[in-house]
Amino acid sequence: MNIEPLKTILDLTNNKQNSIVFFLNDDIKSKLNNYYYYEEKNKDIFINQRIICIKKNNLLLDVTGKIISINKNKIGIYVNNKYNKFIDKNLYYIFIKNSNSKSDDRDFFENLLKNLN
């Protein structure tokens, strides 16, 4: 089912992250420290970012991992050093964590994207 119980609330609020987190289980809330809510119109996502995906229809945590690929509406996620999972980003509330480590190429990809446009 593609029912989104928080849709009307999120349409009315300015702070979508706080509104979503308010309705989540305490265990999920604790995992969202240092993560921010991803909105396609405001931010870009990049390969190697940490991601947490919460299903829109039941507000349960479904996937946590590292982004390995991005195609239009599909995101490939490397889950716990075990397997890859591909999700439709329209079915999830997505929370992203930026890493400041030198091994993370986020800044490189962001600058490359800006230079290509």
Side-chain angles (χ1 to χ4, degrees):
M1 289 178 80
N2 290 336
I3 298 172
E4 187 179 345
L6 296 182
K7 183 166 179 40
T8 54
I9 293 171
L10 294 178
D11 289 342
L12 298 173
T13 185
N14 290 332
N15 192 336
K16 294 181 188 321
Q17 179 166 348
N18 286 343
S19 299
I20 294 169
V21 171
F22 179 79
F23 291 100
L24 296 177
N25 184 334
D26 288 337
D27 294 334
I28 298 172
K29 285 181 188 178
S30 67
K31 293 178 183 177
L32 290 178
N33 286 343
N34 299 322
Y35 284 80
Y36 65 89
Y37 177 65
Y38 165 70
E39 290 183 89
E40 191 170 0
K41 62 185 176 188
N42 296 336
K43 298 275 186 179
D44 285 330
I45 55 175
F46 299 96
I47 294 174
N48 288 336
Q49 283 183 304
R50 303 286 304 162
I51 186 170
I52 292 179
C53 302
I54 297 170
K55 284 195 164 204
K56 287 183 177 182
N57 61 357
N58 59 13
L59 299 177
L60 295 177
L61 188 133
D62 189 44
V63 182
T64 62
K66 188 179 272 195
I67 298 173
I68 57 169
S69 70
I70 304 166
N71 274 339
K72 297 182 185 176
N73 287 332
K74 297 284 186 188
I75 299 174
I77 302 169
Y78 186 56
V79 181
N80 297 331
N81 298 328
K82 294 181 182 175
Y83 60 93
N84 298 334
K85 184 169 184 175
F86 294 86
I87 63 159
D88 183 352
K89 67 181 178 181
N90 296 322
L91 300 178
Y92 292 89
Y93 296 121
I94 297 173
F95 291 85
I96 302 290
K97 180 178 184 180
N98 287 333
S99 174
N100 293 330
S101 70
K102 291 182 182 179
S103 63
D104 187 10
D105 295 329
R106 182 184 185 282
D107 292 332
F108 169 75
F109 287 117
E110 186 173 17
N111 288 330
L112 179 62
L113 182 65
K114 287 178 183 176
N115 288 332
L116 291 175
N117 289 333

